[in-house]
Amino acid sequence: MKLLKRISIFAIAVMTSISMAQADDTDELKAEIADLKERLSDMRHSFDRVNKGLKDIMMHNIMGDVAIIEKVRFTGPPLGKDHDFSGDGEQNPLSLTNPLKLSAYVFFPKDIDPSKKYPLLVFPHQGVHANFDVENGQLYRELIAQQYIIIAPDYRGSTGYGKRFYESIDYGGKEVDDVKAARDYMVENYSVVDQNRVGIMGHSHGGMITLLNLFNFPDAYKVGFADVPVSDLIARMGYKTQGYRELYETDYHLGESAFENHEEYIKRSPAWNTHKLETPLMVYGNTNDDDVNILEIRHLIKSLKADGKEFTYKEFEDIPGGHNFARMDHPIARQARYDIYKFLEEHLSPERTFGNIKDMERASYKFVSR
């Protein structure tokens, strides 16, 4: 019996030792996985910087024959004392309270007269954690042909500027102020910009920023166009996937779910702030949009109507291109863009205007459609 008891005790000791070793191995493996994820994240931001440089080269190739392109630096609101970067350790207090450094692209038509003043279009880019590029170069060529000056800011959270800038995002908050700061930078620094003829236009997330700029700074803009804009974050979180929702719930983003803090999501949703509109506005929606569901835009439109606002809305029915339909190169898209330009023209009076769609196409490409 004594021998059996000794064997049992030995067996228990061995099993305990093995279990503890396995636990140590598991903890070590978890630590290695966490470290690997951090390294991959850092590599992603490095690749984003390279990709951004390639986009800049493409920009000059696509636009260089019609525009003088400058990349400028200006500042937006500070991050704020309550901001924290994940995994970066202690912060320099001045980095949180100093104005945040931002970048933007400015396009001047090559043939403008420096002694004259021209209308300005502010162009916030689409996409959460995206950046400005000229994938839809024909759109910018069409605007430049009308003698618009364009500023396209890479507001906080944009990619291509490193991890810290990426994690500076303030979705529907200070990024809106960054875009207003880009507008102010142009008005204050360029004598060729007419401060009384400033418009703003954006697509998708850029459309959301467009709307919030119009709502928050009604005296800054003469007109605005929002193309398939993100409009209702409460509804959006309902029809998107959990993975999408988790993007907004991270510590450096909104930090909470819509369930936990629906008031914050409402504050950042254009559909819940339409009572602030005082500026001429055009909005587009497409029923087969696979990114911004038409229900979001319809909520925006219902809210505008309920608040007694005057605006122009066009809802397109299952147009090829879905979310990007107005940026495509089929006849319906060309007509849609032509109508946008005519709307902007009413309020900004550009030096040159398109008499018809053929004129617009000549600005976009060397050959026109049938």
Side-chain angles (χ1 to χ4, degrees):
M1 289 297 292
K2 290 183 178 181
L3 179 60
L4 182 60
K5 186 175 181 180
R6 289 176 180 175
I7 293 173
S8 298
I9 293 172
F10 177 75
I12 292 172
V14 170
M15 291 176 65
T16 301
S17 176
I18 293 173
S19 178
M20 291 177 63
Q22 288 176 337
D24 290 342
D25 289 344
T26 300
D27 290 341
E28 184 177 347
L29 181 60
K30 287 180 179 179
E32 290 178 357
I33 292 173
D35 181 64
L36 180 59
K37 286 183 177 180
E38 186 71 18
R39 290 174 181 271
L40 288 173
S41 176
D42 292 341
M43 288 179 63
R44 171 191 171 183
H45 292 292
S46 297
F47 285 131
D48 282 342
R49 285 182 181 275
V50 174
N51 190 39
K52 184 63 172 170
L54 294 174
K55 287 182 178 181
D56 286 358
I57 294 172
M58 286 292 295
M59 190 178 302
H60 285 270
N61 288 339
I62 293 172
M63 306 294 297
D65 61 323
V66 296
I68 298 169
I69 306 171
E70 297 180 350
K71 191 168 186 181
V72 300
R73 298 273 278 168
F74 62 104
T75 56
L79 292 171
K81 294 181 180 179
D82 59 343
H83 188 92
D84 187 24
F85 296 96
S86 65
D88 276 330
E90 294 183 4
Q91 302 299 316
N92 182 337
L94 292 178
S95 69
L96 302 178
T97 57
N98 281 340
L100 184 65
K101 294 184 286 290
L102 304 164
S103 299
Y105 299 91
V106 182
F107 300 88
F108 298 96
K110 275 193 170 180
D111 55 353
I112 62 172
D113 183 345
S115 66
K116 293 184 177 181
K117 289 186 179 293
Y118 295 84
L120 171 70
L121 279 175
V122 182
F123 213 115
H125 66 71
Q126 68 193 66
V128 183
H129 292 306
N131 55 45
F132 180 78
D133 63 42
V134 287
E135 177 184 352
N136 302 108
Q138 82 279 29
L139 174 65
Y140 311 113
R141 293 179 68 92
E142 290 162 2
L143 291 169
I144 287 169
Q146 298 170 75
Q147 301 282 276
Y148 286 111
I149 295 170
I150 302 169
I151 182 165
D154 277 339
Y155 44 83
R156 67 190 65 207
S158 297
T159 54
Y161 299 92
K163 180 180 180 180
R164 287 179 62 116
F165 193 79
Y166 179 95
E167 293 186 353
S168 298
I169 189 170
D170 187 25
Y171 184 91
K174 290 180 180 178
E175 64 180 17
V176 178
D177 299 323
D178 292 344
V179 172
K180 168 62 161 48
R183 177 261 182 212
D184 293 344
Y185 167 82
M186 293 299 293
V187 168
E188 294 166 4
N189 287 278
Y190 292 94
S191 60
V192 291
V193 171
D194 187 344
Q195 64 178 348
N196 297 312
R197 289 188 291 163
V198 181
I200 183 169
M201 62 187 299
H203 170 79
S204 190
H205 180 57
M208 171 183 159
I209 292 179
T210 292
L211 292 169
L212 292 176
N213 259 267
L214 295 177
F215 296 166
N216 296 347
F217 311 107
D219 296 330
Y221 303 98
K222 292 283 288 186
V223 66
F225 168 68
D227 184 28
V228 294
V230 173
S231 302
D232 185 349
L233 295 183
I234 300 292
R236 191 169 183 80
M237 295 304 130
Y239 71 78
K240 289 293 187 179
T241 65
Q242 180 58 28
Y244 184 89
R245 289 189 286 270
E246 288 173 354
L247 171 65
Y248 296 82
E249 297 168 17
T250 57
D251 290 339
Y252 61 82
H253 216 290
L254 295 186
E256 294 177 294
S257 68
F259 174 78
E260 294 167 320
N261 192 351
H262 63 275
E263 288 297 331
E264 193 63 34
Y265 283 75
I266 286 174
K267 187 174 82 171
R268 297 165 189 251
S269 296
W272 294 87
N273 291 275
T274 52
H275 58 282
K276 300 178 182 178
L277 180 67
E278 298 179 16
T279 312
L281 170 66
M282 174 183 271
V283 179
Y284 275 0
N286 188 15
T287 57
N288 67 350
D289 192 325
D290 55 354
D291 187 325
V292 179
N293 192 291
I294 194 66
L295 71 87
E296 281 195 62
I297 301 173
R298 286 175 177 169
H299 183 193
L300 172 73
I301 299 309
K302 285 184 177 181
S303 296
L304 286 166
K305 289 179 178 178
D307 287 323
K309 302 300 181 180
E310 293 185 7
F311 60 97
T312 299
Y313 174 56
K314 294 189 177 183
E315 183 170 301
F316 294 79
E317 184 73 28
D318 295 340
I319 305 304
H323 188 55
N324 296 295
F325 82 98
R327 298 179 166 209
M328 304 298 288
D329 287 316
H330 49 63
I332 297 175
R334 287 191 286 268
Q335 181 65 58
R337 289 202 303 279
Y338 183 77
D339 291 343
I340 297 166
Y341 302 148
K342 287 301 168 183
F343 178 75
L344 297 176
E345 178 186 315
E346 293 176 17
H347 304 280
L348 298 178
S349 303
E351 292 292 310
R352 297 175 187 163
T353 59
F354 296 136
N356 51 52
I357 292 180
K358 298 296 182 185
D359 288 344
M360 186 186 80
E361 290 177 332
R362 291 186 184 94
S364 309
Y365 305 104
K366 292 182 179 179
F367 296 94
V368 298
S369 62
R370 290 184 181 274

